[in-house]
Amino acid sequence: MYSYVLKRLLSAIAVLFGASLLVFVLVINSGDPLQELRESNADNVEFLIQQRISFMNLDEPWYSRYWIWLTGIAGCAVGACDFGTNMSGQDVGAMVANSASSTLRLVFLATILSIIIGILTGIVTAIRQYSSLDYAVSFFVFLFFSLPVFWAAVLAKDWMGITYNNWLREPNFTWTQIIIVAAVAAILVPLIIGGSARRRLLTGAVMFGFVMVVMPAMDSMNYAREPRLGPAVITLLGIGLAFGLTALLSGLRNRRVLYSALTVVGIGLVSYYATFWLLIDPPGGWLTIAGLFLVTIAVAVLVGRTMGGHAKGQAVAVSVITAALFAVMVLLDHFMRAWPGFLGLKPRPIATIGSSSPNFSGDFWEVALDQGTQLVLPTTILMLVSVATYTRYTRSSMLEAVNQDYIRTARAKGVNERTVVFKHAFRNSMIPLTTIVAFDFAGLIGGAVVVEQVFGWSGMGNMFVTGLSSSDPAPVMAFTLITGAAAVLFNLIADLMYAVLDPRIRV
């Protein structure tokens, strides 16, 4: 194993070296970095030209310039990276530190959401192959996959940003809007749930009536500007999660698993009140929240192993997922409580330009809301394309797996369908998905270049485009190195995960 990893790392260094050399040669030959100054009428133009030549080492041959950059990067081995300076004399390393945080925050969130939504959608469509749901999802998947990113980003700015901000000044639903939403819900929900024609009609009627009651009630409570969740709703949703996850992963007949999940919900309700005042203004910020989340997971594992009996594995899985989702709802409740105050500081919350609001001041939750609303539009755009990819690959992998002999054998032996789908079929279909995740993360960084330009983010994509347009190699090389290193690292992780998912594979 160690020799394999060492070989892959050495080959990765060779690949990065070749890619960096090629990119460097292309960038320095793409234009004249002194053209702007040669056309200038400034009195000190000669001084500025000499200064830029010094910053960019233009008085050196190309191979010497590349060697200077390469020796600076080699310092990363001892923790002393030197990315060089750009044409203005700014340290590119400092630029990368500021830009990478914005871009990686955007790409990481889009990746996680894409994986969760795409894989779940792919599993459901594979189980219900050739159903109306399968055809509908396939239509939207191909639609999202074929959308030009820049065009979708402009539409999102108009519809999800500007239009929503205008509506939020005096939020209210017209009866036409309520009827349209109720009709869409009455069609989509039965399509997702499935069942007989009678069951679908009943589900559609219930959903239509539910929306017709809930939306006017939300208007009367001014829910758009003063949302609330509260411990009662969180507890009811937690109980629903406990039953739903138990039914999905182990079956409701397994009472020990169900009781473990319900115990986690009860502990979560006690923790809601115990940590309420602490979370109003967390002393350590996100570190405090992360610490509480780890404690929550640890307690869920303990409950699952203590109460799970012979089904400890399933009890731990259900308890951990229930606890994690309960914790997310608690955080959502605190965000909702901060929403009215946030609207007082930022009346138009969904930003269409920039990664943060300049000179924004507020408490912890208000600042977090500002950063979160800045992520809504670009994350949604990046996520759409990736969700389509994960859905199609998951569906095809699952369909290939369920037609294998070992799946027929499991069903013939009487194994319940839940175990067949999740333990046998899905685990074996994860191998090609692991490869897709590795490539998709690096691909999302490339897609962020376009998204950052549309939304005016000061991230790595903006740094790359600026450097490329001015024939400035240092920022472009930094972007290439980080993107290439991410691609190589994730591919190495994917190779190692193969052996974990399938013991027959040995590296």
Side-chain angles (χ1 to χ4, degrees):
M1 175 68 76
Y2 294 109
S3 61
Y4 172 79
V5 173
L6 181 60
K7 290 178 182 178
R8 287 301 305 269
L9 289 176
L10 292 177
S11 64
I13 293 174
V15 169
L16 291 176
F17 172 76
S20 64
L21 180 60
L22 178 61
V23 170
F24 186 85
V25 172
L26 291 175
V27 173
I28 63 174
N29 288 283
S30 63
D32 182 8
L34 299 177
Q35 181 178 357
E36 172 194 352
L37 295 179
R38 290 194 177 103
E39 297 173 353
S40 174
N41 295 322
D43 295 335
N44 61 340
V45 64
E46 290 298 330
F47 170 76
L48 295 176
I49 290 176
Q50 291 301 320
Q51 187 181 51
R52 182 166 297 183
I53 291 174
S54 175
F55 289 149
M56 301 179 65
N57 298 312
L58 295 178
D59 53 344
E60 300 282 347
W62 71 268
Y63 50 85
S64 179
R65 294 173 61 191
Y66 178 76
W67 178 254
I68 293 172
W69 177 85
L70 189 62
T71 53
I73 294 300
C76 294
V78 293
C81 290
D82 182 9
F83 288 91
T85 58
N86 67 355
M87 63 194 316
S88 300
Q90 295 176 297
D91 182 21
V92 176
M95 295 171 59
V96 168
N98 294 329
S99 303
S101 60
S102 297
T103 299
L104 293 180
R105 181 178 59 184
L106 171 63
V107 172
F108 182 77
L109 182 60
T111 302
I112 296 299
L113 293 176
S114 300
I115 291 173
I116 295 174
I117 298 173
I119 289 179
L120 290 177
T121 306
I123 292 174
V124 173
T125 53
I127 295 173
R128 296 172 58 184
Q129 184 185 16
Y130 301 136
S131 64
S132 53
L133 173 64
D134 186 23
Y135 288 123
V137 170
S138 297
F139 170 78
F140 285 107
V141 161
F142 282 113
L143 176 65
F144 293 152
F145 190 78
S146 60
L147 280 178
V149 175
F150 62 90
W151 181 70
V154 172
L155 291 182
K157 289 177 68 172
D158 187 16
W159 295 348
M160 298 175 60
I162 298 172
T163 302
Y164 175 78
N165 288 332
N166 292 336
W167 175 80
L168 196 59
R169 288 182 298 185
E170 295 181 4
N172 60 81
F173 299 107
T174 65
W175 279 106
T176 302
Q177 293 171 336
I178 293 174
I179 293 173
I180 291 175
V181 173
V184 171
I187 295 173
L188 290 182
V189 174
L191 188 67
I192 296 173
I193 294 177
S196 63
R198 180 180 178 182
R199 178 181 176 181
R200 294 188 181 189
L201 287 174
L202 180 60
T203 304
V206 171
M207 288 305 304
F208 187 88
F210 177 77
V211 174
M212 292 293 291
V213 172
V214 168
M215 290 185 68
M218 292 174 64
D219 264 348
S220 64
M221 294 186 297
N222 195 25
Y223 200 83
R225 296 189 66 88
E226 298 178 3
R228 57 193 70 91
L229 205 56
V233 175
I234 294 176
T235 303
L236 289 175
L237 292 175
I239 293 173
L241 283 172
F243 277 92
L245 290 170
T246 303
L248 181 64
L249 298 180
S250 67
L252 291 176
R253 293 183 179 180
N254 197 332
R255 296 298 182 184
R256 288 184 175 272
V257 176
L258 178 61
Y259 294 154
S260 299
L262 291 175
T263 301
V264 167
V265 173
I267 296 174
L269 179 61
V270 175
S271 302
Y272 174 86
Y273 288 103
T275 61
F276 184 83
W277 297 109
L278 176 65
L279 290 178
I280 288 180
D281 188 14
W286 286 110
L287 288 177
T288 300
I289 294 175
L292 291 174
F293 184 79
L294 292 177
V295 172
T296 300
I297 300 302
V299 171
V301 171
L302 180 63
V303 170
R305 292 190 62 83
T306 303
M307 302 182 62
H310 65 279
K312 288 183 180 179
Q314 294 176 340
V316 169
V318 173
S319 299
V320 167
I321 298 175
T322 302
L325 294 177
F326 195 95
V328 170
M329 288 190 291
V330 172
L331 288 180
L332 181 61
D333 180 69
H334 283 276
F335 277 119
M336 286 182 169
R337 292 176 181 275
W339 183 254
F342 174 67
L343 291 181
L345 298 173
K346 190 178 178 182
R348 300 180 66 83
I350 305 300
T352 57
I353 295 294
S355 58
S356 61
S357 299
N359 302 321
F360 183 86
S361 60
D363 60 20
F364 170 80
W365 296 105
E366 290 166 348
V367 172
L369 279 171
D370 175 60
Q371 296 174 348
T373 52
Q374 300 280 352
L375 283 168
V376 170
L377 297 183
T379 299
T380 301
I381 298 303
L382 283 179
M383 186 181 66
L384 286 180
V385 178
S386 291
V387 164
T389 302
Y390 288 123
T391 300
R392 296 306 300 171
Y393 273 95
T394 303
R395 180 182 180 276
S396 62
S397 298
M398 285 287 294
L399 290 176
E400 183 179 356
V402 296
N403 290 321
Q404 299 297 316
D405 291 339
Y406 62 86
I407 296 295
R408 298 190 190 97
T409 303
R411 285 172 173 160
K413 292 170 65 176
V415 179
N416 63 69
E417 189 65 16
R418 183 185 308 104
T419 304
V420 170
V421 170
F422 288 100
K423 186 174 182 180
H424 298 290
F426 178 60
R427 177 165 181 168
N428 286 278
S429 67
M430 285 180 66
I431 294 177
L433 286 176
T434 304
T435 306
I436 298 303
V437 172
F439 282 104
D440 188 66
F441 185 83
L444 280 177
I445 296 179
V449 175
V450 178
V451 172
E452 287 180 9
Q453 288 296 302
V454 176
F455 290 102
W457 274 52
S458 298
M460 292 181 61
N462 181 64
M463 184 182 71
F464 171 78
V465 172
T466 302
L468 194 61
S469 61
S470 57
S471 302
D472 188 0
V476 177
M477 296 296 289
F479 177 87
T480 303
L481 181 65
I482 293 175
T483 306
V488 169
L489 175 63
F490 275 80
N491 274 283
L492 176 60
I493 294 175
D495 288 341
L496 298 178
M497 284 297 296
Y498 294 155
V500 176
L501 295 172
D502 189 348
R504 294 173 300 177
I505 298 176
R506 288 293 179 263
V507 294

